[in-house]
Every structure is written in structure tokens, then in C-alpha cells.
Amino acid sequence: RIDHYMSKEELTAEFGENGWKQLPDTVSRCYKFVPARVEIEEHHIGVYSSKLDEHMVKAPHPRNLLRGSLVSPSLAAAIINGKYVNAVPLYRLEKEFERYGLAITRQNMANWMIRLGEEYLSVLYDHLHSLLYGYHVIQADETPVLVNRDGRSAGSKSYMWVYRSGHMYPEKQIILYEYQRTRNTSHPREFLRDYSGICVTDGYQVYHTLEKEREDLIIAGCWVHARRRFDEALAVVPKESRKESASFLIIKQIQAIYREEGKLKELSSKERLVQRQVVVKPLVDALFVYLKQHESEVGTEKLREAFTYALHQEKYLWVFLTDGDVPMDNNASERAIRGFCVGVKNWQMIDTINGAKSSAIIYSIAETAKANNLKPYEYFEYLLTEIPKHMGDTDRSFLDNLVPWSEMLP
């Protein structure tokens, strides 16, 4: 609070002797930015030895976060927040720390992130992975990433897979990344090994292969991917003819489905399912009847591709009509992976496989924190303060107090 008052002399000059009275203050506010600062926390640890023998003891004290390193939970959280939340490359963070008088190289920071991911944050990641199995509906997607030193020729694509709780569950959201060198079926097969329920995906064949292998897994399709192909088909139609084209008509039909689905957003799962059967299902019926009737009349290659895709995906596009917890599309997974994609644009590639695996762990916790409305910096600082205290525990129940929706968080 900063006070601004006039002196008695100034008031007398303005109003005359005793000619004024004081009214309630006018309050003016503005934002003041306080730049970050770095402090050195120096611990002096008492050391004691016996006068009779060589027995020696040190006073109880907190151990270093990483052996042989000066990194603290607050500094680590600042680096994580910079790179994994705000997509700032490490070389820029290196320059920023220089301005604060800290000589921290990007190599040091990269090594810290790998070690913190492996030693501490992976414990929470594994716990969230096991909790994900408890959701009746989950969603999955994947995006390419370049890893510089992965034992293959330059430019070989690796993949970041993302698995998340169904977005119809607004509370206790979980978003998990997993790095893999390829895009084949073995990766979701292993990640979802103990999962049973419904998984919403795009039309990628590996998920359909997985469904055929198992009786306890149902794959649901994505209506956005289906509509996108008709958008692409419409784009090649001359502007003056678009409103009369089959692509335009089909897009309008899909929009009508979305419009009715949007009205059910606030309903319970059970009520939503009833309304989907009554209101939405007839629209889906009509769309597929139209597609099957006109498939043989399709002209352009783009439109033929759109028809083929939609008809091949019909089984999966129907699933949302059978369960009120299944979303119509996989947009939530695409949004969940967007933070990683923004980061990739800024730093272009990951250097090593260990770096990619640790990045997957850290991104998972950052995105899960954001999805549950936590401040990532504060959350990571707390995790890196608390998890090291329990590394010797055989009982992992302490992790329940560290999940983003725990009432035990500060």
C-alpha cells in the first residue's frame, strides 16, 4: 500500500481554515512486475566426532536434490516451467540465467531434466499410468518427433504417443505422453495392457488391430477426422459450385450432428445417452444412408477418399451413440499434445533417447497439472521437495497425496 495524502497546510490553502472534511479514499491500482532473483541457500551442517574412537556423525540436513549438483526444487521447477510449459529452448534459458549471474549451461539443464525424470518424476508418472486404467473411456493420439541420437540415420521419425482420460470426465484428468521410436501396434498394446474399456482414436489402423486382438477393448472413431476429409474435398470444388456439391451437403449433415450433440453437454452420462438415441442417432443413420446410396456416383479423387474413409470408419463412428461418456471426436487428445508440438517448433528436435523419455514424463505431469487447473511451477517445486523424502519407502501410498486433485496439496 502506498499512501498519497495532502498536508494540513495544503488543505488550508485550498479550502481555508477548517473548511474541509476528508472523504473515503479513492483507490488506484496497477500491476507491478517483480523480476525473478536467484539466492544462494548455504547450509552449514554440524559435524561431530567421538573423543574415544573414530565414530563421527553429521546433524540431520536435507540431501541435495541430485548428487553432485547445486540444483534445487525451485530452480528445477523454473527450468521445467520455462521449457515444458512455456516452450522456451534451453539455450535461451541459459542466456536468461547468465543475466542473473548464474553460469548454468544447457547441457547441465538437459542432464538435470533427464535425472529428475528418471529418479523422481517417473514414480508419479507410473502412478498416474495405473490410475488411468480406472477410467471407462480414454483417448489416444500420436505425433512425430525427431531424436538426434537414436541409433538411426538422420531424419528418422520417432513418435510421442499421448493417452488421456476421456474429456467427458472434467475432474481428475490425466494426460500421459510416451516416447517410442516407431508407430507400430506393439506400443499401445503394451501401454494399454491392463486397460479395459473404450479408447477414442483417429482412424489409425494399429488401434483397430488392437481391438481385434482383445475382447475387453472397444475403439471409438473421431468425427472431426471424418469431416476434415470432406472439407478437403470441398476445397477443390470451384467456389461458385460449392453449395451444390455433395461435400457441402455432407458437411452440413455432420454440422447438424454436432449441433445436436452440443446441446447435450450439460447432461449426465445416462441422460446424454438417451438423447443421443432419440435425437442424434437418426441424423447419423441418415448420413450413412446417403453415403452408401451415392458412393458409386462420386467424382473427384478427394471426395472418393472422403467417402471411403467415412464408410470404413462407420463401425467406430457409431460407438459414441452407445455410451454417454464417449465424446464424438478426439480433439481433446490433439489439444493435449499441442503443448509438445509448440515446443518442438521452438527446439526442433530432442538430442537423445533418454532425453525423449524424460521429456515424455515431464510433459505428462505438466499437462496433467494444467488440465487440473494447477500452476505447473508451484506443482513441480512441491513434487521435487516431497518425492525425494519417500524414495526409500516400499509403500507408495504417499503418491495419492501428490496427484493434482489431492486435497493434501498446499
Side-chain angles (χ1 to χ4, degrees), residues 124-125 127-129 131-133 135 137-139 162-176 265 327 331-333 335-337 363-374 379 402-406 409:
L124 180 60
Y125 176 94
H127 186 61
L128 291 171
H129 188 176
L131 292 177
L132 186 67
Y133 290 151
Y135 290 80
V137 178
I138 63 172
Q139 299 178 234
V162 65
Y163 304 87
R164 61 155 297 146
S165 53
H167 92 93
M168 306 295 270
Y169 309 124
E171 299 178 351
K172 300 183 179 180
Q173 295 188 57
I174 296 174
I175 297 170
L176 298 180
K265 184 178 179 181
N331 276 0
S333 287
R335 287 193 299 271
I337 213 164
Y363 268 115
S364 298
I365 296 172
E367 292 298 323
T368 298
K370 287 159 59 179
N372 289 281
N373 301 311
L374 294 185
Y379 186 50
L402 298 180
V403 294
W405 51 87
S406 169
L409 294 181

Side-chain angles (χ1 to χ4, degrees), residues 223 253-261 276-289 318 321:
W223 278 86
Q253 288 179 279
I254 296 175
Q255 287 174 345
I257 296 170
Y258 265 97
R259 187 163 52 249
E260 294 304 320
E261 171 67 17
R276 280 176 172 176
Q277 289 291 314
V278 172
V279 180
V280 181
K281 184 176 180 295
L283 298 175
V284 177
D285 284 333
L287 173 61
F288 279 106
V289 167
W318 273 101
L321 293 171

Side-chain angles (χ1 to χ4, degrees), residues 318-385:
W318 273 101
V319 174
F320 85 102
L321 293 171
T322 67
D323 192 304
D325 286 334
V326 178
M328 269 188 71
D329 56 51
N330 202 29
N331 276 0
S333 287
E334 294 189 1
R335 287 193 299 271
I337 213 164
R338 192 170 296 154
F340 172 77
C341 293
V342 171
V344 167
K345 287 182 181 178
N346 287 348
W347 36 260
Q348 297 185 344
M349 70 172 63
I350 300 173
D351 193 43
T352 65
I353 290 177
N354 285 340
K357 290 179 177 179
S358 288
S359 289
I361 291 170
I362 297 171
Y363 268 115
S364 298
I365 296 172
E367 292 298 323
T368 298
K370 287 159 59 179
N372 289 281
N373 301 311
L374 294 185
K375 296 176 181 178
Y377 169 82
E378 295 177 359
Y379 186 50
F380 276 106
E381 183 181 21
Y382 184 70
L383 293 178
L384 293 173
T385 301

Side-chain angles (χ1 to χ4, degrees), residues 189 192-193 195-196 210-217:
R189 180 186 292 126
L192 301 176
R193 179 179 56 190
Y195 177 73
S196 61
L210 205 58
E211 183 187 50
K212 292 174 184 175
E213 296 174 357
R214 297 174 48 176
E215 296 181 355
D216 59 350
L217 180 66

Side-chain angles (χ1 to χ4, degrees), residues 5-104:
Y5 295 113
M6 296 175 70
S7 67
K8 185 176 180 180
E9 291 75 15
E10 290 171 323
L11 291 167
T12 300
E14 181 75 23
F15 297 105
E17 189 72 28
N18 296 324
W20 53 272
K21 62 180 180 179
Q22 186 157 358
L23 302 175
D25 292 352
T26 295
V27 178
S28 172
R29 293 185 175 91
C30 65
Y31 288 114
K32 180 182 178 182
F33 178 72
V34 181
R37 72 174 189 269
V38 177
E39 299 176 344
I40 296 176
E41 192 175 79
E42 188 174 86
H43 295 257
H44 288 251
I45 303 156
V47 182
Y48 311 91
S49 67
S50 170
K51 292 181 179 180
L52 302 176
D53 55 29
E54 295 181 355
H55 176 61
M56 186 175 69
V57 67
K58 290 182 180 180
H61 62 279
R63 56 174 284 188
N64 286 351
L65 185 59
L66 294 175
R67 187 176 179 84
S69 168
L70 295 177
V71 67
S72 64
S74 59
L75 179 58
I79 297 168
I80 289 171
N81 194 64
K83 179 176 180 180
Y84 297 95
V85 178
N86 296 324
V88 180
L90 291 182
Y91 76 87
R92 290 187 189 168
L93 289 176
E94 181 181 7
K95 294 297 182 185
E96 183 70 10
F97 285 129
E98 279 182 13
R99 288 187 276 272
Y100 290 115
L102 279 182
I104 304 176

